[in-house]
Structures are given as structure tokens and as C-alpha cells.
């Protein structure tokens, strides 16, 4: 599989490792083959065992990226619920103050402008803290203030503190995701550096026209057209207890295979996608899967890629599924 996005690196390495092993078997006592990587004044010899280690490291790195994306999505969901709840109390507080005090009261002039749900941390928290402080001043002045539903200033303070903590946790999750992606990207760059040396090394050791030369895996797609995307549907199948993904057939004469890929997010993130199935052209164009949907409430989005014999590909419009 030629290199394209992050999801292509593990299967590409698998192909090169398999071919590398065949080359070493062919060379027998004249081997093993080693790839010379790096500058001429400080070269590095890379063997098939090093590629296997790189493959394991890259797989682990991709798993950690997906885990970080899952944590980010979970924290974002928690933030939405917490912000909505606190904003409801803030708005209720404003209505209560306007009902308690006459027009022109300084308390009314102190009320902050309500934040938007999309507001960033400090833009949301600052007016929320203002509400807390005004509430305290009103009660200190001798006017007890309890909101409908029995919401007290103390309860509001606990909820505000919980939201502040959630914002801090969300920031830490975002930082971890950036860190994990940088680690994975470094391994991908290392993979490209090594695999770029593969073809010239094999061609230098084997005769032209050798089957092993003719079957060297492609590092990049060949020149040619990009296929048309196929339309897909994805729904939760309550009977099967899985997401059911179906797609129309590609009419491209150079069709090699279909790939179903998943992003563990409602909005498809190609940087976090993983390959969950490879389907031959003649096989049923349907997949039942729990990928990205391990628990109730989980959401994931899916694409079906048309892959040509040249390695060129195109993904469908993504479709999201939420597990009930």
C-alpha cells in the first residue's frame, strides 16, 4: 500500500517487511540486505529487524493518538454539558436579580453579559465568576438569594469550580494529543527516510527484471487519475448491535480494493483515521463493526476509500454513527 495519510504507514511497512524477508531469503549467504540511511559522513545500516521494530513503534504511536483523540472527544462532551448547566444557572440568576431589584439598581448594572456556549475558557469563566461575586455581595448586603429549584450560591460555587477543573483537564488532553501526534509524525518521517532507500538498494543487488525487483512495493501512488468517490450509508443496527456500513460499487476499471476507515470523532479527522476493513471488489459491500463504538453514547465517523491498482485513492463523504 503506497504511503498517503497516517493510516497507510502500518500496512505499507508490512508490505516492505514481507518483501525484505523474501530478498534476504534470495540472497541467502550473500545477505542479509542492509539499507544505508543518513548522511555519507555518518551512515546508518538498517535491516529487516529494524523495520519490524519501527512497525511496532508506529502501531503503538497510532494507538496512543487514537486514545488521545477519544479522551479529547470525551472531555469536549463533558465541557458542553457543564457549560450548558452553568449558563442556565447564570441566566436564572440574572432573571432573579432583575425581579428582586427595581430599574436603576446598581445590582442590575453589575450583571455581566452572558457568554456564548462556544466561548473559550476565560471568556466563559470570567462572567461566571462575576455572577459568583455579585451573588455573594447581594447576600452580604442582607438579601438572601436562592434560585428556582433550590439552587444556592454554595451549589453554584461547586459547579463553577467543577467547570474550571474541566477546562484545565481539557487543556491537558489537548496538549497530550499534540504531543502524541508529534511522536507519531516523527516515526512516520523516519519510515519515509528508510523506505526511500529500499528500491535503489534492491535494484543494486538483484538483476534487472528479477521477480523481486518487479514486485518491490510502491512507496507512492503511480501517475494516473484519482477515482470517483462512492456514496455510503452508515446506521446503528439494533438487531446486530453494531454499525452497518454499506456503499455503492465503483465503476473504475482500475479498481483494486475498497478500504473502510474510521475516525473516533463525530466530525471526520483524517489525521486520526484507522483502517478497519479491506474489501475486495467482488465481495459484499457491507460491513458490520463496533470500531469506535465500544460503549453506549460513543460516536465515530466512517469513510469508504476506492483504491486503484496505481495506489491512487479517494474517500467518500464521511458518515457518523452514535451508539445508543
Amino acid at each position: 500500500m503506497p504511503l498517503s495519510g497516517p493510516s497507510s504507514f502500518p500496512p505499507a511497512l508490512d508490505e516492505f517487511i514481507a518483501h525484505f524477508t523474501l530478498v534476504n531469503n534470495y540472497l541467502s549467504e550473500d545477505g542479509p540486505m542492509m539499507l544505508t540511511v543518513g548522511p555519507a559522513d555518518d551512515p546508518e545500516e538498517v535491516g529487516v529487524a529494524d523495520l519490524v521494530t519501527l512497525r511496532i513503534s508506529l502501531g503503538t504511536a497510532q494507538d496512543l493518538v487514537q486514545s488521545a483523540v477519544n479522551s479529547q472527544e470525551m472531555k469536549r462532551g463533558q465541557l458542553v454539558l457543564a457549560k450548558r448547566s452553568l449558563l442556565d444557572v447564570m441566566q436564572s440568576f440574572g432573571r432573579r436579580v432583575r425581579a428582586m431589584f427595581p430599574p436603576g439598581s446598581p445590582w442590575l448594572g453589575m450583571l455581566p453579559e452572558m457568554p456564548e456556549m462556544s466561548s473559550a475558557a476565560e471568556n466563559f469563566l470570567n462572567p461566571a465568576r462575576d455572577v459568583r461575586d455579585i451573588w455573594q455581595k447581594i447576600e452580604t448586603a442582607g438579601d438572601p438569594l436562592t434560585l428556582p429549584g433550590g439552587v444556592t450560591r454554595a451549589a453554584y460555587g461547586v459547579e463553577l469550580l467543577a467547570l474550571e477543573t474541566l477546562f484545565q483537564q481539557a487543556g491537558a488532553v489537548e496538549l497530550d494529543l499534540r504531543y502524541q501526534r508529534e511522536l507519531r509524525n516523527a516515526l512516520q518521517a523516519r519510515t519515509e527516510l528508510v523506505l526511500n532507500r529500499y528500491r535503489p538498494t534492491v535494484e543494486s543487488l538483484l538483476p534487472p527484471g528479477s521477480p523481486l525487483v518487479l514486485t518491490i512495493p510502491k512507496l507512492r501512488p503511480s501517475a494516473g487519475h484519482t477515482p470517483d468517490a462512492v456514496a455510503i450509508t452508515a446506521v446503528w443496527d439494533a438487531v446486530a448491535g453494531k454499525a452497518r456500513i454499506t456503499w455503492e460499487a465503483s465503476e473504475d476499471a482500475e479498481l483494486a480494493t475498497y478500504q473502510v476507515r474510521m475516525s473516533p470523532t463525530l466530525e471526520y479527522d483524517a489525521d486520526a483515521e484507522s483502517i478497519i476493513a479491506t474489501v475486495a471488489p467482488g465481495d459484499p459491500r457491507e460491513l458490520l463493526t463496533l470500531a469506535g463504538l465500544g460503549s453506549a453514547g460513543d460516536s465515530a465517523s466512517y469513510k469508504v476509500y476506492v483504491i486503484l491498482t496505481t495506489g491512487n485513492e479517494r474517500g467518500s463523504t464521511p458518515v457518523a454513527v452514535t451508539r445508543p
Side-chain angles (χ1 to χ4, degrees):
M1 177 178 180
L3 297 181
S4 51
S7 64
S8 67
F9 279 77
L13 271 170
D14 289 340
E15 289 185 6
F16 277 91
I17 289 168
H19 194 272
F20 206 139
T21 301
L22 292 175
V23 171
N24 280 345
N25 291 339
Y26 176 85
L27 293 174
S28 187
E29 295 180 359
D30 294 328
M33 179 175 71
M34 303 296 288
L35 308 180
T36 303
V37 179
D41 59 346
D42 188 23
E44 175 189 1
E45 297 294 307
V46 176
V48 67
D50 300 305
L51 278 193
V52 171
T53 300
L54 182 57
R55 169 65 175 87
I56 294 170
S57 298
L58 190 53
T60 300
Q62 292 203 330
D63 289 344
L64 289 173
V65 167
Q66 266 211 5
S67 177
V69 169
N70 289 336
S71 296
Q72 180 191 59
E73 288 296 298
M74 180 182 69
K75 202 59 64 178
R76 282 177 175 174
Q78 292 173 343
L79 268 175
V80 167
L81 294 176
K83 289 168 75 174
R84 180 74 267 169
S85 177
L86 198 72
L87 184 57
D88 286 345
V89 178
M90 293 167 66
Q91 291 170 336
S92 178
F93 176 81
R95 291 191 296 269
R96 187 76 182 94
V97 170
R98 292 183 181 93
M100 286 177 62
F101 301 100
S105 168
W107 297 122
L108 273 61
M110 293 174 65
L111 290 174
E113 184 176 343
M114 293 293 101
E116 300 290 336
M117 277 292 292
S118 58
S119 297
E122 289 308 304
N123 290 336
F124 195 97
L125 291 173
N126 283 336
R129 292 169 182 141
D130 288 343
V131 166
R132 176 197 60 194
D133 296 342
I134 296 167
W135 200 334
Q136 181 179 12
K137 291 179 185 299
I138 289 174
E139 292 192 334
T140 300
D143 293 300
L145 197 164
T146 299
L147 299 180
V151 179
T152 63
R153 178 171 60 86
Y156 176 80
V158 171
E159 194 169 346
L160 173 57
L161 179 60
L163 180 60
E164 290 173 330
T165 301
L166 266 178
F167 271 118
Q168 292 170 357
Q169 293 171 344
V173 166
E174 293 277 355
L175 180 61
D176 180 60
L177 176 56
R178 293 200 300 271
Y179 173 69
Q180 298 300 341
R181 277 181 167 154
E182 287 300 322
L183 291 179
R184 182 208 59 192
N185 292 347
L187 288 170
Q188 290 179 173
R190 167 71 175 171
T191 299
E192 289 195 71
L193 180 68
V194 172
L195 295 186
N196 270 320
R197 299 299 306 145
Y198 191 82
R199 175 173 289 276
T201 303
V202 173
E203 291 178 340
S204 72
L205 295 173
L206 301 180
S210 163
L212 287 172
V213 170
L214 297 177
T215 56
I216 294 174
K218 293 178 181 177
L219 186 58
R220 296 292 179 191
S222 304
H225 69 282
T226 301
D228 292 333
V230 293
I232 76 167
T233 61
V235 296
W236 178 257
D237 188 316
V239 176
K242 296 180 179 181
R244 182 182 297 275
I245 304 167
T246 58
W247 61 95
E248 66 181 15
S250 170
E251 297 181 358
D252 200 296
E254 297 181 10
L255 173 66
T257 189
Y258 301 101
Q259 274 186 357
V260 186
R261 303 180 191 174
M262 180 275 298
S263 169
T265 52
L266 268 175
E267 293 187 11
Y268 199 89
D269 182 0
D271 197 48
E273 71 177 9
S274 58
I275 300 169
I276 61 173
T278 299
V279 179
D283 290 348
R285 297 185 304 279
E286 179 179 80
L287 177 68
L288 288 169
T289 182
L290 278 175
L293 303 172
S295 304
D298 286 350
S299 297
S301 49
Y302 305 90
K303 283 186 177 185
V304 173
Y305 281 76
V306 176
I307 314 291
L308 302 185
T309 54
T310 59
N312 289 292
E313 63 179 40
R314 175 166 288 174
S316 66
T317 299
V319 180
V321 176
T322 298
R323 179 173 179 174

